[in-house]
Coordinates of all heavy atoms in Angstrom, one line a residue:
M129 N -19.7 24.6 -75.6 CA -19.1 23.6 -74.8 C -20.2 22.9 -73.9 O -20.9 23.7 -73.3 CB -18.0 24.2 -73.9 CG -17.3 23.3 -73.0 SD -15.8 24.1 -72.3 CE -16.3 24.1 -70.6
P130 N -20.3 21.7 -73.9 CA -21.4 21.0 -73.1 C -21.2 21.2 -71.6 O -20.0 21.4 -71.1 CB -21.3 19.5 -73.5 CG -20.0 19.4 -74.2 CD -19.5 20.7 -74.6
L131 N -22.3 21.1 -70.9 CA -22.2 21.2 -69.4 C -21.5 19.9 -68.8 O -21.6 18.9 -69.4 CB -23.6 21.3 -68.8 CG -24.4 22.6 -69.2 CD1 -25.8 22.4 -68.9 CD2 -23.8 23.7 -68.4
T132 N -20.9 20.1 -67.7 CA -20.1 19.0 -67.1 C -20.7 18.8 -65.7 O -21.5 19.6 -65.1 CB -18.6 19.4 -66.9 OG1 -18.5 20.5 -66.0 CG2 -18.0 19.7 -68.2
R133 N -20.3 17.7 -65.1 CA -20.7 17.3 -63.7 C -20.3 18.4 -62.8 O -21.1 18.8 -61.9 CB -20.0 16.0 -63.4 CG -20.1 15.6 -62.0 CD -19.2 14.3 -61.7 NE -19.2 13.9 -60.4 CZ -18.4 14.4 -59.4 NH1 -17.5 15.3 -59.7 NH2 -18.5 13.9 -58.2
D134 N -19.1 19.0 -62.9 CA -18.6 20.0 -62.0 C -19.5 21.3 -62.1 O -19.7 21.9 -61.1 CB -17.2 20.3 -62.2 CG -16.2 19.2 -61.8 OD1 -16.6 18.3 -61.0 OD2 -15.1 19.1 -62.3
Q135 N -19.9 21.6 -63.3 CA -20.7 22.8 -63.5 C -22.1 22.6 -62.8 O -22.7 23.5 -62.3 CB -20.9 23.1 -65.0 CG -19.6 23.7 -65.6 CD -19.7 23.8 -67.1 OE1 -20.2 22.9 -67.8 NE2 -19.3 24.9 -67.6
L136 N -22.6 21.4 -62.9 CA -23.9 21.1 -62.3 C -23.8 21.1 -60.8 O -24.6 21.6 -60.1 CB -24.5 19.7 -62.8 CG -25.5 19.8 -63.9 CD1 -26.8 20.4 -63.4 CD2 -25.0 20.6 -65.1
R137 N -22.7 20.6 -60.3 CA -22.5 20.6 -58.8 C -22.5 22.1 -58.3 O -23.1 22.4 -57.3 CB -21.2 19.9 -58.4 CG -21.0 20.0 -56.9 CD -19.7 19.4 -56.4 NE -19.6 19.8 -55.0 CZ -19.1 18.9 -54.1 NH1 -18.7 17.7 -54.4 NH2 -19.0 19.3 -52.8
A138 N -21.7 22.9 -59.1 CA -21.7 24.3 -58.7 C -23.0 25.0 -58.8 O -23.4 25.8 -58.0 CB -20.7 25.1 -59.6
S139 N -23.9 24.5 -59.7 CA -25.2 25.1 -59.9 C -26.1 24.7 -58.7 O -26.9 25.5 -58.2 CB -25.8 24.6 -61.2 OG -27.1 25.0 -61.4
F140 N -26.0 23.5 -58.2 CA -26.7 23.0 -57.0 C -26.2 23.9 -55.8 O -27.0 24.3 -55.0 CB -26.5 21.6 -56.7 CG -27.2 20.6 -57.7 CD1 -26.5 19.7 -58.5 CD2 -28.6 20.6 -57.7 CE1 -27.1 18.9 -59.3 CE2 -29.2 19.7 -58.6 CZ -28.5 18.9 -59.4
E141 N -24.9 24.1 -55.7 CA -24.4 24.8 -54.6 C -24.8 26.3 -54.7 O -25.1 26.9 -53.6 CB -22.9 24.7 -54.5 CG -22.5 23.3 -54.1 CD -21.0 23.1 -54.2 OE1 -20.2 23.9 -54.8 OE2 -20.5 22.0 -53.6
R142 N -24.9 26.9 -55.9 CA -25.4 28.3 -56.0 C -26.8 28.5 -55.5 O -27.2 29.5 -55.0 CB -25.3 28.7 -57.5 CG -23.9 29.2 -57.9 CD -24.0 29.9 -59.2 NE -24.5 29.1 -60.3 CZ -23.8 28.3 -61.1 NH1 -22.5 28.1 -60.8 NH2 -24.3 27.6 -62.0
A143 N -27.6 27.4 -55.6 CA -29.0 27.5 -55.2 C -29.1 27.5 -53.6 O -30.1 27.9 -53.1 CB -29.8 26.3 -55.7
G144 N -28.0 27.1 -53.0 CA -27.9 27.2 -51.5 C -27.6 25.8 -50.9 O -27.8 24.8 -51.6
D145 N -27.1 25.9 -49.7 CA -26.7 24.6 -49.0 C -27.8 23.6 -48.9 O -27.5 22.4 -49.0 CB -26.1 24.9 -47.6 CG -24.8 25.7 -47.7 OD1 -24.1 25.7 -48.7 OD2 -24.5 26.4 -46.6
A146 N -29.0 24.0 -48.8 CA -30.1 23.1 -48.6 C -30.3 22.2 -49.9 O -30.7 21.1 -49.8 CB -31.4 23.8 -48.3
H147 N -30.0 22.7 -51.1 CA -30.2 22.0 -52.3 C -29.1 20.9 -52.5 O -29.5 19.7 -52.8 CB -30.3 22.9 -53.5 CG -31.4 23.8 -53.4 ND1 -32.7 23.5 -53.8 CD2 -31.5 25.1 -52.9 CE1 -33.5 24.5 -53.6 NE2 -32.9 25.5 -53.0
W148 N -27.9 21.3 -52.3 CA -26.8 20.2 -52.4 C -27.0 19.2 -51.2 O -26.8 18.0 -51.4 CB -25.4 20.9 -52.3 CG -24.3 19.9 -52.5 CD1 -23.4 19.5 -51.6 CD2 -24.0 19.1 -53.7 NE1 -22.5 18.6 -52.1 CE2 -22.9 18.3 -53.4 CE3 -24.6 19.0 -55.0 CZ2 -22.3 17.4 -54.3 CZ3 -24.0 18.2 -55.9 CH2 -22.9 17.4 -55.5
G149 N -27.4 19.8 -50.0 CA -27.6 18.9 -48.9 C -28.7 17.9 -49.1 O -28.7 16.8 -48.6
A150 N -29.7 18.3 -49.9 CA -30.9 17.4 -50.2 C -30.4 16.2 -51.0 O -30.8 15.1 -50.8 CB -32.0 18.1 -50.9
L151 N -29.4 16.5 -51.9 CA -28.9 15.4 -52.7 C -28.0 14.4 -51.8 O -28.1 13.2 -52.0 CB -28.0 15.9 -53.8 CG -28.8 16.6 -55.0 CD1 -27.8 17.1 -56.0 CD2 -29.8 15.7 -55.6
I152 N -27.3 15.0 -50.9 CA -26.5 14.2 -50.0 C -27.4 13.4 -49.1 O -27.2 12.2 -49.0 CB -25.6 15.1 -49.1 CG1 -24.5 15.7 -50.0 CG2 -24.9 14.3 -48.0 CD1 -23.7 16.8 -49.3
A153 N -28.4 14.0 -48.5 CA -29.4 13.3 -47.7 C -30.1 12.2 -48.4 O -30.3 11.0 -47.9 CB -30.4 14.2 -47.1
H154 N -30.5 12.5 -49.7 CA -31.1 11.4 -50.5 C -30.3 10.2 -50.7 O -30.8 9.1 -50.6 CB -31.4 12.0 -51.9 CG -32.1 11.1 -52.8 ND1 -33.3 10.6 -52.7 CD2 -31.6 10.5 -54.0 CE1 -33.6 9.8 -53.7 NE2 -32.6 9.7 -54.5
H155 N -29.0 10.4 -50.8 CA -28.1 9.3 -50.9 C -27.8 8.6 -49.6 O -27.9 7.4 -49.5 CB -26.7 9.7 -51.5 CG -25.7 8.7 -51.5 ND1 -25.7 7.6 -52.3 CD2 -24.5 8.6 -50.9 CE1 -24.7 6.8 -52.1 NE2 -23.9 7.4 -51.2
E156 N -27.5 9.3 -48.6 CA -27.1 8.8 -47.3 C -28.2 8.1 -46.5 O -28.0 7.2 -45.8 CB -26.3 9.8 -46.5 CG -25.0 10.2 -47.0 CD -24.3 11.3 -46.2 OE1 -24.9 11.9 -45.3 OE2 -23.1 11.5 -46.5
E157 N -29.4 8.7 -46.6 CA -30.5 8.2 -45.8 C -31.0 6.9 -46.3 O -31.8 6.2 -45.6 CB -31.6 9.3 -45.7 CG -31.3 10.5 -44.9 CD -32.3 11.6 -44.9 OE1 -33.4 11.3 -45.5 OE2 -32.1 12.6 -44.3
A158 N -30.6 6.5 -47.4 CA -31.1 5.2 -48.0 C -30.3 4.0 -47.5 O -30.7 2.9 -47.7 CB -31.0 5.3 -49.5
Y159 N -29.2 4.3 -46.8 CA -28.3 3.2 -46.4 C -29.1 2.2 -45.6 O -30.0 2.5 -44.8 CB -27.2 3.8 -45.5 CG -26.2 2.7 -45.0 CD1 -25.2 2.3 -45.9 CD2 -26.4 2.1 -43.8 CE1 -24.3 1.3 -45.5 CE2 -25.5 1.1 -43.5 CZ -24.5 0.7 -44.3 OH -23.6 -0.3 -43.9
P160 N -29.0 0.9 -45.9 CA -28.0 0.2 -46.7 C -28.4 0.1 -48.2 O -27.7 -0.5 -48.9 CB -27.8 -1.1 -46.1 CG -29.2 -1.4 -45.5 CD -29.8 -0.1 -45.1
E161 N -29.5 0.7 -48.5 CA -29.9 0.7 -50.0 C -28.9 1.5 -50.7 O -28.1 2.3 -50.2 CB -31.3 1.2 -50.2 CG -32.4 0.4 -49.6 CD -33.7 1.1 -49.8 OE1 -33.9 1.8 -50.8 OE2 -34.6 0.9 -49.0
S162 N -28.9 1.4 -52.1 CA -28.0 2.1 -52.9 C -28.8 3.1 -53.8 O -29.5 2.7 -54.7 CB -27.2 1.2 -53.7 OG -26.3 1.9 -54.5
R163 N -28.7 4.4 -53.5 CA -29.2 5.4 -54.4 C -28.0 6.1 -55.0 O -26.9 6.1 -54.5 CB -30.0 6.4 -53.6 CG -31.3 5.8 -53.1 CD -32.3 7.0 -52.7 NE -33.4 6.4 -51.9 CZ -33.8 6.8 -50.8 NH1 -33.2 7.9 -50.2 NH2 -34.8 6.3 -50.2
P164 N -28.2 6.8 -56.1 CA -27.1 7.5 -56.7 C -26.5 8.6 -55.8 O -27.2 9.2 -55.0 CB -27.8 8.2 -57.9 CG -29.1 7.6 -58.1 CD -29.5 7.0 -56.8
T165 N -25.2 8.7 -55.9 CA -24.5 9.8 -55.2 C -24.9 11.1 -55.8 O -25.3 11.3 -56.9 CB -23.0 9.6 -55.3 OG1 -22.6 9.8 -56.6 CG2 -22.6 8.2 -54.8
P166 N -24.6 12.2 -55.0 CA -24.8 13.5 -55.6 C -24.0 13.8 -56.8 O -24.5 14.4 -57.8 CB -24.4 14.5 -54.5 CG -24.6 13.7 -53.2 CD -24.3 12.3 -53.6
G167 N -22.8 13.2 -56.9 CA -22.0 13.4 -58.1 C -22.6 12.6 -59.3 O -22.5 13.1 -60.4
D168 N -23.1 11.4 -59.0 CA -23.8 10.7 -60.1 C -25.0 11.5 -60.6 O -25.2 11.5 -61.9 CB -24.3 9.3 -59.6 CG -23.2 8.4 -59.2 OD1 -22.1 8.5 -59.8 OD2 -23.5 7.4 -58.4
I169 N -25.8 12.1 -59.7 CA -26.9 12.9 -60.1 C -26.5 14.1 -60.9 O -27.0 14.4 -62.0 CB -27.8 13.3 -58.9 CG1 -28.5 12.0 -58.4 CG2 -28.8 14.3 -59.3 CD1 -29.2 12.2 -57.1
A170 N -25.4 14.8 -60.5 CA -24.9 15.9 -61.2 C -24.4 15.5 -62.6 O -24.7 16.2 -63.6 CB -23.7 16.6 -60.4
K171 N -23.8 14.4 -62.7 CA -23.3 13.9 -64.1 C -24.6 13.6 -64.9 O -24.6 14.0 -66.1 CB -22.5 12.7 -63.9 CG -21.9 12.1 -65.2 CD -21.1 10.9 -64.9 CE -20.6 10.3 -66.2 NZ -19.7 9.2 -66.0
A172 N -25.6 13.0 -64.4 CA -26.7 12.6 -65.2 C -27.5 13.8 -65.6 O -28.0 13.9 -66.7 CB -27.6 11.6 -64.4
E173 N -27.6 14.8 -64.7 CA -28.3 16.1 -65.0 C -27.6 16.8 -66.1 O -28.2 17.5 -67.0 CB -28.5 16.9 -63.8 CG -29.6 16.4 -62.9 CD -31.0 16.4 -63.6 OE1 -31.5 17.5 -63.9 OE2 -31.5 15.3 -63.9
A174 N -26.2 16.9 -66.1 CA -25.5 17.5 -67.1 C -25.8 16.9 -68.4 O -26.0 17.6 -69.4 CB -24.0 17.4 -66.8
Q175 N -25.8 15.6 -68.5 CA -26.1 14.9 -69.7 C -27.5 15.2 -70.2 O -27.8 15.4 -71.4 CB -25.9 13.4 -69.6 CG -26.1 12.6 -70.9 CD -25.1 13.1 -71.9 OE1 -23.9 13.1 -71.7 NE2 -25.5 13.4 -73.1
R176 N -28.5 15.2 -69.2 CA -29.9 15.4 -69.6 C -30.0 16.8 -70.2 O -30.7 17.0 -71.2 CB -30.7 15.3 -68.3 CG -32.2 15.2 -68.6 CD -33.0 14.8 -67.4 NE -33.0 15.8 -66.4 CZ -33.9 16.9 -66.4 NH1 -34.7 17.0 -67.4 NH2 -33.9 17.8 -65.5
L177 N -29.4 17.8 -69.5 CA -29.5 19.2 -70.1 C -28.8 19.4 -71.4 O -29.2 20.1 -72.3 CB -28.9 20.2 -69.0 CG -29.7 20.4 -67.8 CD1 -29.0 21.3 -66.8 CD2 -31.1 20.9 -68.1
N178 N -27.6 18.7 -71.6 CA -27.0 18.7 -72.8 C -27.8 18.1 -73.9 O -27.9 18.7 -75.1 CB -25.6 18.0 -72.8 CG -24.6 18.7 -72.0 OD1 -24.6 20.0 -71.9 ND2 -23.7 18.0 -71.3
D179 N -28.5 17.0 -73.6 CA -29.4 16.4 -74.6 C -30.5 17.3 -75.0 O -31.0 17.2 -76.1 CB -29.9 15.0 -74.1 CG -28.8 14.0 -74.0 OD1 -27.7 14.2 -74.6 OD2 -29.0 12.9 -73.4
A180 N -31.0 18.1 -74.0 CA -32.1 19.0 -74.3 C -31.6 20.3 -75.0 O -32.5 21.1 -75.3 CB -32.8 19.4 -73.0
G181 N -30.3 20.4 -75.2 CA -29.8 21.6 -76.0 C -29.3 22.7 -75.1 O -28.9 23.8 -75.6
F182 N -29.4 22.6 -73.8 CA -29.0 23.7 -72.9 C -27.5 23.7 -72.6 O -27.1 24.6 -71.8 CB -29.8 23.6 -71.5 CG -31.2 23.9 -71.7 CD1 -32.2 22.9 -71.4 CD2 -31.7 25.1 -72.1 CE1 -33.5 23.1 -71.6 CE2 -33.0 25.4 -72.2 CZ -34.0 24.4 -72.0
G183 N -26.7 22.8 -73.2 CA -25.3 22.8 -72.9 C -24.5 23.8 -73.8 O -23.3 23.9 -73.7
E184 N -25.2 24.5 -74.7 CA -24.6 25.5 -75.6 C -24.3 26.8 -74.8 O -25.1 27.6 -74.6 CB -25.4 25.8 -76.8 CG -25.8 24.5 -77.6 CD -26.7 24.9 -78.7 OE1 -26.6 26.0 -79.3 OE2 -27.6 24.0 -79.0
S185 N -23.0 26.9 -74.3 CA -22.7 28.0 -73.5 C -22.8 29.4 -74.1 O -22.9 30.4 -73.5 CB -21.3 27.9 -72.9 OG -20.3 27.8 -73.9
A186 N -22.8 29.4 -75.5 CA -23.0 30.7 -76.2 C -24.4 31.1 -76.2 O -24.7 32.3 -76.4 CB -22.5 30.5 -77.6
R187 N -25.4 30.2 -75.9 CA -26.8 30.5 -76.0 C -27.5 30.5 -74.6 O -28.5 31.1 -74.4 CB -27.5 29.5 -76.8 CG -27.1 29.6 -78.3 CD -27.9 28.7 -79.1 NE -29.4 28.9 -79.0 CZ -30.3 28.0 -79.3 NH1 -30.0 26.8 -79.7 NH2 -31.6 28.3 -79.1
Y188 N -26.9 29.7 -73.6 CA -27.6 29.6 -72.3 C -26.6 29.6 -71.2 O -25.4 29.2 -71.3 CB -28.3 28.2 -72.2 CG -29.3 28.0 -73.3 CD1 -29.1 27.2 -74.4 CD2 -30.6 28.6 -73.2 CE1 -30.0 27.0 -75.4 CE2 -31.5 28.4 -74.2 CZ -31.3 27.6 -75.2 OH -32.2 27.4 -76.2
Q189 N -27.1 30.2 -70.1 CA -26.3 30.2 -68.8 C -27.1 29.5 -67.7 O -28.2 29.9 -67.5 CB -26.1 31.7 -68.4 CG -25.3 31.8 -67.1 CD -25.3 33.3 -66.6 OE1 -26.0 34.1 -67.1 NE2 -24.4 33.5 -65.7
L190 N -26.5 28.5 -67.2 CA -27.1 27.7 -66.0 C -26.9 28.6 -64.8 O -25.8 28.7 -64.3 CB -26.5 26.3 -65.9 CG -27.0 25.5 -64.8 CD1 -28.5 25.2 -65.0 CD2 -26.2 24.2 -64.8
L191 N -28.0 29.1 -64.2 CA -28.0 29.9 -63.1 C -27.9 29.1 -61.8 O -27.0 29.3 -60.9 CB -29.2 30.9 -63.0 CG -29.3 31.8 -64.2 CD1 -30.6 32.6 -64.1 CD2 -28.1 32.7 -64.3
E192 N -28.9 28.2 -61.6 CA -28.9 27.4 -60.4 C -29.8 26.2 -60.6 O -30.6 26.2 -61.5 CB -29.4 28.2 -59.2 CG -30.8 28.8 -59.3 CD -31.2 29.7 -58.1 OE1 -30.4 29.9 -57.2 OE2 -32.3 30.2 -58.2
S193 N -29.6 25.2 -59.8 CA -30.3 24.0 -59.9 C -31.0 23.7 -58.5 O -30.3 23.6 -57.5 CB -29.4 22.8 -60.2 OG -28.9 23.0 -61.5
L194 N -32.3 23.6 -58.5 CA -33.1 23.5 -57.3 C -33.5 22.0 -57.0 O -33.9 21.3 -58.0 CB -34.3 24.3 -57.4 CG -34.1 25.8 -57.8 CD1 -35.4 26.5 -58.1 CD2 -33.3 26.5 -56.8
V195 N -33.4 21.6 -55.8 CA -33.7 20.2 -55.4 C -34.8 20.2 -54.4 O -34.8 21.0 -53.4 CB -32.5 19.5 -54.8 CG1 -32.9 18.0 -54.5 CG2 -31.3 19.5 -55.8
Q196 N -35.8 19.4 -54.6 CA -36.9 19.2 -53.6 C -37.0 17.7 -53.4 O -36.7 16.9 -54.3 CB -38.2 19.7 -54.1 CG -38.3 21.2 -54.4 CD -39.6 21.6 -54.9 OE1 -40.3 20.9 -55.5 NE2 -39.9 22.9 -54.7
R197 N -37.4 17.3 -52.2 CA -37.6 15.9 -51.9 C -39.1 15.7 -51.5 O -39.5 15.9 -50.4 CB -36.7 15.5 -50.7 CG -35.3 15.5 -51.1 CD -34.4 15.0 -49.9 NE -34.5 13.6 -49.8 CZ -34.2 12.9 -48.7 NH1 -33.6 13.6 -47.7 NH2 -34.3 11.6 -48.6
P198 N -39.9 15.4 -52.6 CA -41.3 15.2 -52.3 C -41.6 14.1 -51.4 O -42.6 14.1 -50.6 CB -41.9 15.0 -53.7 CG -40.8 14.6 -54.5 CD -39.6 15.2 -53.9
T199 N -40.8 13.1 -51.4 CA -40.8 11.9 -50.4 C -39.4 11.6 -50.1 O -38.5 12.0 -50.8 CB -41.5 10.7 -51.0 OG1 -40.7 10.2 -52.1 CG2 -42.9 11.0 -51.6
P200 N -39.1 10.9 -49.0 CA -37.8 10.5 -48.6 C -37.0 9.7 -49.7 O -35.8 9.8 -49.7 CB -37.9 9.7 -47.3 CG -39.2 10.2 -46.8 CD -40.1 10.5 -47.9
S201 N -37.7 9.1 -50.6 CA -37.1 8.2 -51.6 C -36.9 8.9 -52.9 O -36.5 8.2 -53.9 CB -37.8 6.9 -51.7 OG -39.1 7.1 -52.2
R202 N -37.4 10.1 -53.1 CA -37.4 10.8 -54.4 C -36.8 12.2 -54.3 O -37.0 12.9 -53.3 CB -38.8 10.8 -55.0 CG -39.4 9.5 -55.1 CD -40.9 9.6 -55.5 NE -40.9 10.0 -56.9 CZ -42.1 10.1 -57.6 NH1 -43.2 9.9 -57.0 NH2 -42.1 10.5 -58.8
V203 N -36.2 12.6 -55.4 CA -35.8 14.0 -55.6 C -36.4 14.6 -56.9 O -36.6 13.8 -57.8 CB -34.3 14.2 -55.6 CG1 -33.7 13.9 -54.2 CG2 -33.6 13.4 -56.6
T204 N -36.8 15.8 -56.8 CA -37.3 16.5 -58.0 C -36.3 17.7 -58.2 O -36.0 18.5 -57.3 CB -38.7 17.0 -57.8 OG1 -39.5 15.9 -57.5 CG2 -39.2 17.8 -59.0
I205 N -35.9 17.8 -59.5 CA -34.8 18.8 -59.8 C -35.4 19.7 -60.9 O -36.0 19.3 -61.9 CB -33.6 18.1 -60.3 CG1 -33.0 17.2 -59.2 CG2 -32.5 19.1 -60.8 CD1 -31.9 16.3 -59.6
T206 N -35.2 21.0 -60.7 CA -35.6 22.1 -61.6 C -34.4 23.0 -61.8 O -33.7 23.3 -60.8 CB -36.7 22.9 -61.1 OG1 -37.8 22.0 -60.7 CG2 -37.2 23.9 -62.1
H207 N -34.1 23.3 -63.0 CA -32.9 24.2 -63.3 C -33.4 25.6 -63.8 O -34.4 25.7 -64.6 CB -32.1 23.6 -64.4 CG -31.6 22.2 -64.1 ND1 -30.5 22.0 -63.3 CD2 -32.0 21.0 -64.5 CE1 -30.3 20.7 -63.2 NE2 -31.3 20.1 -63.9
R208 N -32.8 26.6 -63.3 CA -33.0 28.0 -63.8 C -32.0 28.3 -64.8 O -30.8 28.3 -64.5 CB -33.0 29.0 -62.6 CG -34.2 28.7 -61.7 CD -34.3 29.7 -60.6 NE -34.8 30.9 -61.2 CZ -34.2 32.1 -61.0 NH1 -33.1 32.2 -60.2 NH2 -34.6 33.2 -61.6
I209 N -32.4 28.7 -66.0 CA -31.5 28.9 -67.1 C -31.8 30.2 -67.8 O -33.0 30.6 -68.0 CB -31.6 27.7 -68.2 CG1 -31.2 26.4 -67.5 CG2 -30.8 28.0 -69.4 CD1 -31.5 25.2 -68.3
R210 N -30.8 31.0 -68.1 CA -31.0 32.3 -68.8 C -30.6 32.1 -70.2 O -29.5 31.6 -70.6 CB -30.1 33.4 -68.2 CG -30.2 34.7 -68.9 CD -29.3 35.7 -68.3 NE -29.4 35.7 -66.8 CZ -30.0 36.6 -66.1 NH1 -30.4 37.7 -66.6 NH2 -30.0 36.5 -64.8
S211 N -31.4 32.6 -71.1 CA -31.0 32.7 -72.5 C -30.1 33.9 -72.7 O -30.3 35.0 -72.1 CB -32.3 32.9 -73.4 OG -33.1 31.8 -73.3
L212 N -29.1 33.7 -73.5 CA -28.1 34.8 -73.6 C -28.3 35.5 -75.0 O -28.8 34.9 -75.9 CB -26.7 34.2 -73.6 CG -26.3 33.6 -72.3 CD1 -24.9 32.9 -72.4 CD2 -26.3 34.6 -71.1
P213 N -27.9 36.7 -75.1 CA -27.3 37.6 -74.1 C -28.4 38.3 -73.2 O -29.4 38.8 -73.8 CB -26.6 38.6 -74.9 CG -27.3 38.8 -76.1 CD -27.9 37.4 -76.4
E214 N -28.3 38.1 -71.9 CA -29.2 38.8 -71.0 C -30.7 38.6 -71.3 O -31.4 39.6 -71.1 CB -28.8 40.3 -70.8 CG -27.4 40.5 -70.3 CD -27.1 39.8 -69.0 OE1 -27.9 39.7 -68.1 OE2 -26.0 39.2 -68.9
G215 N -31.0 37.5 -71.8 CA -32.4 37.2 -72.1 C -33.2 36.8 -70.9 O -32.7 36.9 -69.7
P216 N -34.4 36.3 -71.1 CA -35.3 35.9 -70.0 C -34.7 34.6 -69.3 O -34.0 33.8 -69.9 CB -36.6 35.6 -70.6 CG -36.3 35.3 -72.0 CD -35.0 36.1 -72.4
V217 N -35.1 34.5 -68.0 CA -34.8 33.3 -67.2 C -36.0 32.4 -67.3 O -37.1 32.8 -67.2 CB -34.5 33.7 -65.7 CG1 -34.3 32.4 -64.9 CG2 -33.3 34.6 -65.7
Q218 N -35.6 31.1 -67.6 CA -36.7 30.1 -67.6 C -36.3 29.0 -66.7 O -35.2 28.8 -66.3 CB -36.9 29.6 -69.1 CG -35.6 28.9 -69.6 CD -35.8 28.5 -71.1 OE1 -36.9 28.1 -71.5 NE2 -34.7 28.5 -71.8
E219 N -37.4 28.2 -66.3 CA -37.1 27.0 -65.5 C -37.5 25.8 -66.3 O -38.5 25.8 -67.1 CB -38.0 27.1 -64.2 CG -37.5 28.0 -63.2 CD -38.2 27.9 -61.9 OE1 -39.1 27.0 -61.7 OE2 -37.9 28.6 -60.9
T220 N -36.7 24.8 -66.2 CA -37.0 23.5 -66.8 C -38.2 22.9 -66.2 O -38.5 23.2 -65.0 CB -35.8 22.6 -66.8 OG1 -35.5 22.3 -65.4 CG2 -34.5 23.2 -67.5
E221 N -38.8 22.0 -66.9 CA -39.8 21.2 -66.2 C -39.2 20.4 -65.1 O -38.1 19.9 -65.2 CB -40.4 20.2 -67.3 CG -41.3 20.9 -68.3 CD -42.6 21.5 -67.8 OE1 -43.2 20.9 -66.9 OE2 -42.9 22.6 -68.2
P222 N -39.9 20.3 -64.0 CA -39.4 19.5 -62.9 C -39.1 18.0 -63.3 O -40.0 17.5 -64.0 CB -40.5 19.6 -61.8 CG -41.2 20.8 -62.1 CD -41.2 20.9 -63.6
F223 N -38.0 17.5 -62.9 CA -37.7 16.1 -63.3 C -37.5 15.3 -62.0 O -36.7 15.7 -61.1 CB -36.3 16.1 -64.1 CG -35.9 14.8 -64.5 CD1 -36.5 14.1 -65.6 CD2 -34.9 14.1 -63.8 CE1 -36.1 12.9 -66.0 CE2 -34.5 12.9 -64.2 CZ -35.0 12.2 -65.3
T224 N -38.3 14.2 -61.9 CA -38.2 13.4 -60.7 C -37.7 12.0 -61.2 O -38.3 11.4 -62.1 CB -39.6 13.2 -60.1 OG1 -40.1 14.5 -59.7 CG2 -39.5 12.4 -58.8
N225 N -36.7 11.6 -60.5 CA -36.1 10.3 -60.8 C -35.0 10.0 -59.7 O -35.1 10.6 -58.6 CB -35.4 10.3 -62.2 CG -35.3 8.9 -62.7 OD1 -35.4 7.9 -62.0 ND2 -35.0 8.7 -64.0
Y226 N -34.1 9.2 -60.0 CA -33.0 9.0 -59.1 C -33.4 8.3 -57.8 O -32.9 8.6 -56.7 CB -32.2 10.2 -58.8 CG -31.7 11.0 -60.0 CD1 -32.2 12.2 -60.3 CD2 -30.9 10.4 -60.9 CE1 -31.9 12.9 -61.5 CE2 -30.5 11.0 -62.1 CZ -31.0 12.3 -62.4 OH -30.7 12.9 -63.5
E227 N -34.3 7.4 -57.9 CA -34.8 6.6 -56.7 C -33.8 5.5 -56.4 O -33.1 5.0 -57.2 CB -36.2 6.1 -56.9 CG -37.1 7.3 -57.1 CD -38.5 6.8 -57.4 OE1 -38.9 5.7 -57.0 OE2 -39.2 7.6 -58.1

């Protein structure tokens, strides 16, 4: 079953309030400019991970999604994913976009 927007939101929240909060700040601090909402980013990240093959729930478990803001206008996202069953944890390459 492919990853969904709601699963990605939960993954950002599992990483801690600061990570979901960084997505909110990224969107709100741009006012009156228009940056993607946290929900838009969660949806795009779900699609990106599905396209990379990580949406196969029988093979991978999304542990958490980490957000950094290298500049006020950019976010960098890294996902921690476990190979199943109980395999090693890997991190995706940092992805910067959503300006």
Side-chain angles (χ1 to χ4, degrees):
M129 181 167 115
L131 292 166
T132 66
R133 172 188 176 271
D134 291 337
Q135 289 171 314
L136 261 289
R137 178 182 174 142
S139 178
F140 286 118
E141 291 174 345
R142 278 193 300 275
D145 292 339
H147 296 277
W148 184 249
L151 292 180
I152 292 169
H154 177 70
H155 172 68
E156 290 179 350
E157 290 175 5
Y159 184 81
E161 294 179 30
S162 179
R163 288 195 195 132
T165 67
D168 293 337
I169 292 173
K171 181 179 178 180
E173 283 299 293
Q175 186 61 53
R176 194 172 72 80
L177 290 176
N178 288 331
D179 291 347
F182 291 115
E184 299 177 38
S185 61
R187 292 184 59 203
Y188 300 104
Q189 177 187 14
L190 178 60
L191 300 175
E192 60 185 359
S193 299
L194 310 170
V195 180
Q196 296 178 336
R197 292 184 73 196
T199 67
S201 64
R202 301 173 73 179
V203 291
T204 298
I205 300 172
T206 306
H207 304 281
R208 295 186 69 233
I209 298 171
R210 178 184 314 252
S211 296
L212 296 176
E214 300 305 318
V217 174
Q218 61 183 325
E219 286 190 358
T220 61
E221 289 292 320
F223 181 76
T224 302
N225 201 348
Y226 309 114
E227 297 176 27

